[in-house]
Amino acid sequence: QVRLAESGGGLVQAGGSLRLSCAASGRFSRIDTMGWYRQAPGKQRELVATVSSGGRTDYAESAKGRFSASRDNAKNTVYLQMNSLKPEDTGSYYCTANAKYDGTWSVSWGQGTQVTVSS
């Protein structure tokens, strides 16, 4: 019941920055945790960062100190500011949202946005 639309991916040189956005739309009464995952070619999808509805953030070790997740609850949007990007950050980045609809909580995924970091 939730549609997630990511944007902001692209090609950037190592050391550069990108800001990803993900807007939630559709039918839901509440969104709890929103997050970002990524999947590099040939690897499993991994957690990058999460943001609770209250703004608490958690990060993967690889993201700490370089990435910053935030959200605008009024816009049902979550952001991921990525600085000091490395080639190993390359991958498809997916947004997730744990949302409530008709009394039931479920996790939805976006289609992903590609991030490519060149060396």
Side-chain angles (χ1 to χ4, degrees):
Q1 303 298 330
V2 178
R3 292 183 295 275
L4 300 173
E6 301 106 331
S7 61
L11 173 64
V12 64
Q13 289 188 330
S17 298
L18 283 174
R19 189 189 193 213
L20 306 183
S21 299
C22 173
S25 62
R27 303 177 71 178
F28 53 87
S29 58
R30 181 184 167 189
I31 298 179
D32 190 8
T33 301
M34 300 184 78
W36 291 95
Y37 285 72
R38 70 184 179 193
Q39 187 166 20
K43 295 188 177 181
Q44 288 189 328
R45 194 170 295 188
E46 62 178 2
L47 176 68
V48 177
T50 60
V51 188
S52 73
S53 58
R56 188 188 76 181
T57 54
D58 288 295
Y59 299 94
E61 284 298 321
S62 60
K64 289 180 179 179
R66 299 188 299 125
F67 295 2
S68 177
S70 61
R71 64 191 281 178
D72 184 334
N73 290 331
K75 296 180 179 179
N76 295 315
T77 299
V78 63
Y79 306 95
L80 185 66
Q81 176 67 43
M82 302 186 294
N83 300 324
S84 302
L85 282 161
K86 305 175 182 179
E88 51 263 46
D89 294 317
T90 293
S92 294
Y93 283 68
Y94 299 89
C95 171
T96 68
N98 185 23
K100 186 176 183 180
Y101 172 72
D102 199 22
T104 301
W105 289 93
S106 61
V107 177
S108 298
W109 291 79
Q111 294 297 309
T113 185
Q114 179 66 33
V115 171
T116 302
V117 184
S118 63
S119 57

